Amino acid sequence: MKIALVALLLAVVVAGAWAVVYLGPDVRFSDEELREFGFVPYPEPRDVGDFALVDAAGGVFDAERLHGRWSFMFFGFANCPDICPITMTVLGEAERLLLDAGDEPFQGIMVSVDPERDTATALAEYVQAFSGNFVGVTGSAPDIYAFARSVHVGFSKSLVDSELGYVMNHSGHIVVVDPSGRHYGNISSPFEATRLATLYRALASRGPANT
């Protein structure tokens, strides 16, 4: 009984602490503190370089689309059975937390590593199931591969004995791009919505001078 009560109190304290962190007016953490959120920043943000992909609406998705706001970008595919829907669900929940708090959220992006099956239409349906604001990105296999390499993401095809025929093995972290369009760092799993929302607010509070 006492153990259960202690566990309950600890849960309340932890929940309260997250509420203070998230709802506080000024969320500022050092790079070292941000590592507690699973975020690993680069000592210096890295240039992504030029690229030309296609968004799910059929428009051009290039370097300019990464300018002006923080982007949380995940590489996955619509037929993914586990990590992709889990990650996209958490990103959608984090976005809703920010919107409910009156904050401008991050730009949520999913880049398909399976352009053979993820047409623009299929990708649009997939990402919008998690958020109507999220951007689905596809393109030719060589162009996606080059873009993925520029942000240190890897992927490969594996044949499977099922109706799918193959699945895509891919990196499981979230790529963080700053408002200047630079690769700022990565968020490792496991992901949790409140932590992602708090991390985003901490990054956004650094202001343009630090991006």
Side-chain angles (χ1 to χ4, degrees):
M1 180 68 178
K2 288 184 178 179
I3 294 176
L5 180 59
V6 170
L8 177 60
L9 289 174
L10 284 173
V12 171
V13 169
V14 170
W18 278 115
V20 170
V21 169
Y22 176 67
L23 297 174
D26 192 15
V27 182
R28 294 184 184 274
F29 298 102
S30 66
D31 284 353
E32 192 58 39
E33 288 172 324
L34 290 180
R35 292 177 189 274
E36 298 300 319
F37 293 83
F39 177 65
V40 180
Y42 290 125
E44 293 292 334
R46 301 178 179 184
D47 183 30
V48 173
D50 293 327
F51 60 90
L53 300 173
V54 182
D55 68 23
V60 174
F61 187 89
D62 56 16
E64 286 300 314
R65 297 284 293 273
L66 296 177
H67 284 247
R69 61 192 294 195
W70 288 89
S71 298
F72 283 8
M73 183 163 55
F74 184 71
F75 286 72
F77 62 111
N79 284 302
C80 179
D82 39 46
I83 187 172
C84 301
I86 291 172
T87 301
M88 296 303 294
T89 295
V90 175
L91 282 169
E93 290 174 351
E95 182 196 54
R96 283 188 286 277
L97 285 174
L98 292 163
L99 289 171
D100 288 347
D103 294 335
E104 179 182 0
F106 53 84
Q107 177 177 216
I109 302 168
M110 180 174 137
V111 181
S112 173
V113 297
D114 186 14
E116 182 179 338
R117 292 184 296 207
D118 288 347
T119 62
T121 300
L123 195 58
E125 292 177 355
Y126 185 77
V127 298
Q128 288 178 9
F130 303 102
S131 169
N133 300 315
F134 284 177
V135 180
V137 176
T138 186
S140 70
D143 287 345
I144 291 173
Y145 181 72
F147 180 55
R149 286 191 63 186
S150 75
V151 290
H152 305 284
V153 168
F155 63 90
S156 62
K157 180 187 292 187
S158 290
L159 299 178
V160 294
D161 186 16
S162 75
E163 62 180 18
L164 286 177
Y166 68 88
V167 296
M168 301 300 297
N169 303 311
H170 56 90
S171 302
H173 59 266
I174 294 170
V175 174
V176 176
V177 180
D178 73 12
S180 296
R182 300 171 300 176
H183 187 187
Y184 201 80
N186 303 305
I187 310 169
S188 59
S189 61
F191 306 119
E192 194 277 324
T194 304
R195 291 167 66 87
L196 287 181
T198 305
L199 170 61
Y200 164 74
R201 292 188 76 223
L203 293 173
S205 72
R206 295 185 169 193
N210 293 313
T211 58

